[in-house]
PDB file of all heavy atoms in Angstrom:
ATOM      1  N   PRO A  24       7.945 -73.299 -10.617  1.00 93.00           N
ATOM      2  CA  PRO A  24       7.929 -73.186  -9.166  1.00 93.00           C
ATOM      3  C   PRO A  24       8.499 -71.856  -8.713  1.00 93.00           C
ATOM      4  O   PRO A  24       9.310 -71.239  -9.420  1.00 93.00           O
ATOM      5  CB  PRO A  24       8.866 -74.321  -8.759  1.00 93.00           C
ATOM      6  CG  PRO A  24       9.128 -75.140  -9.904  1.00 93.00           C
ATOM      7  CD  PRO A  24       8.773 -74.420 -11.138  1.00 93.00           C
ATOM      8  N   SER A  25       8.041 -71.416  -7.583  1.00 88.00           N
ATOM      9  CA  SER A  25       8.540 -70.192  -6.973  1.00 88.00           C
ATOM     10  C   SER A  25      10.029 -70.341  -6.781  1.00 88.00           C
ATOM     11  O   SER A  25      10.541 -71.392  -6.329  1.00 88.00           O
ATOM     12  CB  SER A  25       7.870 -70.021  -5.607  1.00 88.00           C
ATOM     13  OG  SER A  25       8.256 -68.836  -4.956  1.00 88.00           O
ATOM     14  N   GLY A  26      10.812 -69.383  -7.227  1.00 91.00           N
ATOM     15  CA  GLY A  26      12.287 -69.416  -7.090  1.00 91.00           C
ATOM     16  C   GLY A  26      12.997 -69.931  -8.309  1.00 91.00           C
ATOM     17  O   GLY A  26      14.211 -69.904  -8.383  1.00 91.00           O
ATOM     18  N   VAL A  27      12.237 -70.350  -9.306  1.00 95.00           N
ATOM     19  CA  VAL A  27      12.916 -70.932 -10.513  1.00 95.00           C
ATOM     20  C   VAL A  27      13.546 -69.842 -11.384  1.00 95.00           C
ATOM     21  O   VAL A  27      14.456 -70.109 -12.158  1.00 95.00           O
ATOM     22  CB  VAL A  27      11.865 -71.789 -11.348  1.00 95.00           C
ATOM     23  CG1 VAL A  27      10.909 -70.916 -12.105  1.00 95.00           C
ATOM     24  CG2 VAL A  27      12.619 -72.714 -12.256  1.00 95.00           C
ATOM     25  N   GLY A  28      13.040 -68.586 -11.178  1.00 95.00           N
ATOM     26  CA  GLY A  28      13.659 -67.517 -11.976  1.00 95.00           C
ATOM     27  C   GLY A  28      12.683 -66.784 -12.908  1.00 95.00           C
ATOM     28  O   GLY A  28      13.147 -66.041 -13.788  1.00 95.00           O
ATOM     29  N   LYS A  29      11.409 -66.964 -12.752  1.00 95.00           N
ATOM     30  CA  LYS A  29      10.404 -66.360 -13.662  1.00 95.00           C
ATOM     31  C   LYS A  29      10.523 -64.838 -13.696  1.00 95.00           C
ATOM     32  O   LYS A  29      10.552 -64.232 -14.756  1.00 95.00           O
ATOM     33  CB  LYS A  29       8.977 -66.737 -13.254  1.00 95.00           C
ATOM     34  CG  LYS A  29       8.659 -68.200 -13.230  1.00 95.00           C
ATOM     35  CD  LYS A  29       7.235 -68.444 -12.793  1.00 95.00           C
ATOM     36  CE  LYS A  29       6.946 -68.055 -11.365  1.00 95.00           C
ATOM     37  NZ  LYS A  29       7.633 -68.809 -10.320  1.00 95.00           N
ATOM     38  N   GLY A  30      10.652 -64.234 -12.527  1.00 92.00           N
ATOM     39  CA  GLY A  30      10.707 -62.773 -12.461  1.00 92.00           C
ATOM     40  C   GLY A  30      11.982 -62.253 -13.118  1.00 92.00           C
ATOM     41  O   GLY A  30      11.949 -61.236 -13.857  1.00 92.00           O
ATOM     42  N   THR A  31      13.111 -62.954 -12.894  1.00 96.00           N
ATOM     43  CA  THR A  31      14.360 -62.527 -13.424  1.00 96.00           C
ATOM     44  C   THR A  31      14.342 -62.672 -14.994  1.00 96.00           C
ATOM     45  O   THR A  31      14.772 -61.748 -15.693  1.00 96.00           O
ATOM     46  CB  THR A  31      15.521 -63.457 -12.878  1.00 96.00           C
ATOM     47  OG1 THR A  31      15.388 -63.544 -11.483  1.00 96.00           O
ATOM     48  CG2 THR A  31      16.862 -62.989 -13.258  1.00 96.00           C
ATOM     49  N   GLU A 111       3.193 -63.895 -15.532  1.00 93.00           N
ATOM     50  CA  GLU A 111       4.083 -64.721 -14.739  1.00 93.00           C
ATOM     51  C   GLU A 111       3.223 -65.330 -13.605  1.00 93.00           C
ATOM     52  O   GLU A 111       2.965 -64.702 -12.601  1.00 93.00           O
ATOM     53  CB  GLU A 111       5.087 -63.722 -14.094  1.00 93.00           C
ATOM     54  CG  GLU A 111       6.336 -64.303 -13.610  1.00 93.00           C
ATOM     55  CD  GLU A 111       6.988 -63.360 -12.620  1.00 93.00           C
ATOM     56  OE1 GLU A 111       7.132 -62.152 -13.012  1.00 93.00           O
ATOM     57  OE2 GLU A 111       7.315 -63.758 -11.510  1.00 93.00           O
ATOM     58  N   ARG A 143      18.368 -70.801  -4.687  1.00 92.00           N
ATOM     59  CA  ARG A 143      17.958 -69.526  -5.251  1.00 92.00           C
ATOM     60  C   ARG A 143      16.989 -68.789  -4.262  1.00 92.00           C
ATOM     61  O   ARG A 143      17.078 -67.571  -4.125  1.00 92.00           O
ATOM     62  CB  ARG A 143      17.308 -69.691  -6.624  1.00 92.00           C
ATOM     63  CG  ARG A 143      18.327 -70.090  -7.647  1.00 92.00           C
ATOM     64  CD  ARG A 143      17.685 -70.285  -9.047  1.00 92.00           C
ATOM     65  NE  ARG A 143      18.693 -70.791  -9.944  1.00 92.00           N
ATOM     66  CZ  ARG A 143      18.428 -71.117 -11.225  1.00 92.00           C
ATOM     67  NH1 ARG A 143      17.225 -70.983 -11.732  1.00 92.00           N
ATOM     68  NH2 ARG A 143      19.421 -71.594 -11.969  1.00 92.00           N
ATOM     69  N   LYS A 146      19.163 -67.476  -1.535  1.00 90.00           N
ATOM     70  CA  LYS A 146      19.915 -66.327  -2.048  1.00 90.00           C
ATOM     71  C   LYS A 146      19.037 -65.101  -2.194  1.00 90.00           C
ATOM     72  O   LYS A 146      19.466 -63.990  -1.916  1.00 90.00           O
ATOM     73  CB  LYS A 146      20.533 -66.697  -3.401  1.00 90.00           C
ATOM     74  CG  LYS A 146      21.523 -65.716  -3.916  1.00 90.00           C
ATOM     75  CD  LYS A 146      22.160 -66.185  -5.241  1.00 90.00           C
ATOM     76  CE  LYS A 146      21.304 -65.788  -6.418  1.00 90.00           C
ATOM     77  NZ  LYS A 146      21.841 -66.138  -7.726  1.00 90.00           N
ATOM     78  N   ARG A 147      17.773 -65.294  -2.641  1.00 91.00           N
ATOM     79  CA  ARG A 147      16.879 -64.156  -2.816  1.00 91.00           C
ATOM     80  C   ARG A 147      16.588 -63.489  -1.470  1.00 91.00           C
ATOM     81  O   ARG A 147      16.377 -62.261  -1.453  1.00 91.00           O
ATOM     82  CB  ARG A 147      15.596 -64.622  -3.508  1.00 91.00           C
ATOM     83  CG  ARG A 147      14.741 -63.451  -3.991  1.00 91.00           C
ATOM     84  CD  ARG A 147      13.627 -63.892  -4.851  1.00 91.00           C
ATOM     85  NE  ARG A 147      12.552 -64.496  -4.080  1.00 91.00           N
ATOM     86  CZ  ARG A 147      11.457 -65.068  -4.593  1.00 91.00           C
ATOM     87  NH1 ARG A 147      11.295 -65.091  -5.907  1.00 91.00           N
ATOM     88  NH2 ARG A 147      10.552 -65.652  -3.815  1.00 91.00           N
ATOM     89  N   ASN A 178      15.864 -73.143 -16.872  1.00 98.00           N
ATOM     90  CA  ASN A 178      16.600 -71.942 -16.508  1.00 98.00           C
ATOM     91  C   ASN A 178      17.878 -72.321 -15.712  1.00 98.00           C
ATOM     92  O   ASN A 178      17.899 -72.259 -14.501  1.00 98.00           O
ATOM     93  CB  ASN A 178      15.722 -70.987 -15.646  1.00 98.00           C
ATOM     94  CG  ASN A 178      16.467 -69.753 -15.255  1.00 98.00           C
ATOM     95  OD1 ASN A 178      17.461 -69.363 -15.903  1.00 98.00           O
ATOM     96  ND2 ASN A 178      16.066 -69.094 -14.183  1.00 98.00           N
ATOM     97  N   ASP A 179      18.851 -72.797 -16.527  1.00 98.00           N
ATOM     98  CA  ASP A 179      20.193 -73.091 -15.902  1.00 98.00           C
ATOM     99  C   ASP A 179      21.003 -71.831 -16.110  1.00 98.00           C
ATOM    100  O   ASP A 179      21.218 -71.038 -15.198  1.00 98.00           O
ATOM    101  CB  ASP A 179      20.765 -74.330 -16.563  1.00 98.00           C
ATOM    102  CG  ASP A 179      22.034 -74.816 -15.828  1.00 98.00           C
ATOM    103  OD1 ASP A 179      22.460 -74.140 -14.899  1.00 98.00           O
ATOM    104  OD2 ASP A 179      22.544 -75.911 -16.238  1.00 98.00           O
ATOM    105  N   ASP A 180      21.519 -71.658 -17.346  1.00 98.00           N
ATOM    106  CA  ASP A 180      22.152 -70.344 -17.654  1.00 98.00           C
ATOM    107  C   ASP A 180      21.008 -69.365 -18.073  1.00 98.00           C
ATOM    108  O   ASP A 180      20.249 -69.637 -18.984  1.00 98.00           O
ATOM    109  CB  ASP A 180      23.145 -70.548 -18.807  1.00 98.00           C
ATOM    110  CG  ASP A 180      23.702 -69.161 -19.243  1.00 98.00           C
ATOM    111  OD1 ASP A 180      24.419 -68.561 -18.439  1.00 98.00           O
ATOM    112  OD2 ASP A 180      23.315 -68.695 -20.326  1.00 98.00           O
ATOM    113  N   LEU A 181      21.011 -68.252 -17.341  1.00 98.00           N
ATOM    114  CA  LEU A 181      19.892 -67.329 -17.526  1.00 98.00           C
ATOM    115  C   LEU A 181      19.765 -66.818 -18.966  1.00 98.00           C
ATOM    116  O   LEU A 181      18.674 -66.782 -19.594  1.00 98.00           O
ATOM    117  CB  LEU A 181      20.149 -66.115 -16.592  1.00 98.00           C
ATOM    118  CG  LEU A 181      19.127 -64.990 -16.628  1.00 98.00           C
ATOM    119  CD1 LEU A 181      17.713 -65.474 -16.259  1.00 98.00           C
ATOM    120  CD2 LEU A 181      19.588 -63.862 -15.629  1.00 98.00           C
TER     121      LEU A 181
HETATM  122  P1  ADP B 205      10.562 -66.572  -9.264  1.00 91.74           P
HETATM  123  O1  ADP B 205      10.038 -65.251  -9.893  1.00 91.74           O
HETATM  124  O2  ADP B 205      10.369 -67.748 -10.190  1.00 91.74           O
HETATM  125  O3  ADP B 205      10.046 -66.837  -7.901  1.00 91.74           O
HETATM  126  P2  ADP B 205      13.157 -65.105  -9.154  1.00 91.74           P
HETATM  127  O4  ADP B 205      13.206 -64.542 -10.512  1.00 91.74           O
HETATM  128  O5  ADP B 205      12.798 -64.233  -7.999  1.00 91.74           O
HETATM  129  O6  ADP B 205      12.192 -66.412  -9.117  1.00 91.74           O
HETATM  130  O7  ADP B 205      14.527 -65.830  -8.862  1.00 91.74           O
HETATM  131  C1  ADP B 205      14.882 -66.420  -7.617  1.00 91.74           C
HETATM  132  C2  ADP B 205      16.351 -66.209  -7.339  1.00 91.74           C
HETATM  133  O8  ADP B 205      17.144 -66.957  -8.299  1.00 91.74           O
HETATM  134  C3  ADP B 205      16.809 -64.743  -7.479  1.00 91.74           C
HETATM  135  O9  ADP B 205      17.705 -64.438  -6.447  1.00 91.74           O
HETATM  136  C4  ADP B 205      17.475 -64.725  -8.871  1.00 91.74           C
HETATM  137  O10 ADP B 205      18.512 -63.703  -8.906  1.00 91.74           O
HETATM  138  C5  ADP B 205      18.074 -66.099  -8.951  1.00 91.74           C
HETATM  139  N1  ADP B 205      18.174 -66.594 -10.367  1.00 91.74           N
HETATM  140  C6  ADP B 205      17.258 -66.517 -11.363  1.00 91.74           C
HETATM  141  N2  ADP B 205      17.720 -67.117 -12.480  1.00 91.74           N
HETATM  142  C7  ADP B 205      18.895 -67.660 -12.181  1.00 91.74           C
HETATM  143  C8  ADP B 205      19.876 -68.443 -12.949  1.00 91.74           C
HETATM  144  N3  ADP B 205      19.662 -68.829 -14.216  1.00 91.74           N
HETATM  145  N4  ADP B 205      21.002 -68.816 -12.283  1.00 91.74           N
HETATM  146  C9  ADP B 205      21.207 -68.423 -10.986  1.00 91.74           C
HETATM  147  N5  ADP B 205      20.382 -67.715 -10.244  1.00 91.74           N
HETATM  148  C10 ADP B 205      19.208 -67.300 -10.837  1.00 91.74           C
END
Side-chain angles (χ1 to χ4, degrees):
S25 182
V27 75
K29 300 179 295 294
T31 311
E111 200 199 309
R143 288 181 187 176
K146 189 178 85 179
R147 192 171 73 184
N178 180 22
D179 188 355
D180 174 69
L181 179 61

